[in-house]
Amino acid sequence: LMAFAVAADYTRVAVLKIGDREDDHQLTLNGTTFVYHTASHRAVPNGATLCAEVDRMHARYFLELLNRLSSTQTPTGPLIDQGVTVWTNQVGSGNHSFQNVPWILAGSANGFLKTGTFIQASYQTNRMLNTLLQAAGVQADNFGDTSLSRGVVPELLA
């Protein structure tokens, strides 16, 4: 539905949020019932393994979305390259820190972003948000938490 809405120019932004901020949803995987947030703090047996399985499940959902965006053609090429599709979460290192928050970006935002790049960029949350805003045409370099660095992630710019 998200890919269709964007392809039909009904909207230019779609957000799919799985879980709440602290994700206290109860899940059952391979016969084990657990609360994701508790498992993320490793407060249940095999917490890391359970969280990794949830990550794999979410990766499959993300791949399906990317496949739909890639297979939808526009007059200027695949829909996936007309924008940027992002998979992230708030689980970095430690107790809800901004350190090592994972970001996966797919699409070049009409050539604004490099593709096929891996970047190790700790403490870049504000810069990532500013980069995504600029990719969408918003001139921003100071969005986000005032305690974190400003600007963009230059390694992502085409």
Side-chain angles (χ1 to χ4, degrees):
L1 184 58
M2 291 167 57
F4 176 77
V6 173
D9 204 22
Y10 181 77
T11 185
R12 294 182 187 251
V13 176
V15 176
L16 174 62
K17 182 180 178 211
I18 299 174
D20 61 11
R21 189 180 79 73
E22 291 191 3
D23 206 349
D24 287 323
H25 287 88
Q26 186 171 335
L27 301 160
T28 301
L29 295 175
N30 303 320
T32 301
T33 300
F34 63 99
V35 173
Y36 182 82
H37 185 218
T38 306
S40 74
H41 285 282
R42 310 307 187 245
V44 299
N46 299 320
T49 301
L50 293 168
C51 287
E53 184 58 36
V54 172
D55 287 344
R56 283 189 286 278
M57 180 177 65
H58 290 164
R60 289 189 294 272
Y61 297 151
F62 189 65
L63 177 60
E64 179 61 28
L65 175 59
L66 297 181
N67 287 339
R68 298 246 181 203
L69 295 171
S70 295
S71 65
T72 303
Q73 294 299 314
T74 73
T76 57
L79 183 59
I80 195 168
D81 288 324
Q82 308 313 304
V84 60
T85 305
V86 179
W87 176 20
T88 190
N89 63 52
Q90 72 171 35
V91 181
S93 299
N95 194 10
H96 299 272
S97 77
F98 291 109
Q99 184 179 9
N100 295 324
V101 172
W103 295 80
I104 298 176
L105 281 60
S108 68
N110 285 318
F112 186 84
L113 301 171
K114 283 183 196 173
T115 59
T117 303
F118 173 84
I119 299 170
Q120 183 71 37
S122 295
Y123 296 101
Q124 294 284 341
T125 299
N126 279 8
R127 289 182 177 191
M128 183 64 76
L129 294 172
N130 287 321
T131 302
L132 293 171
L133 284 168
Q134 287 192 20
V138 177
Q139 291 305 310
D141 66 358
N142 63 354
F143 183 82
D145 188 315
T146 57
S147 69
L148 299 176
S149 59
R150 301 292 184 200
V152 297
V153 181
E155 301 90 342
L156 288 177
L157 305 180

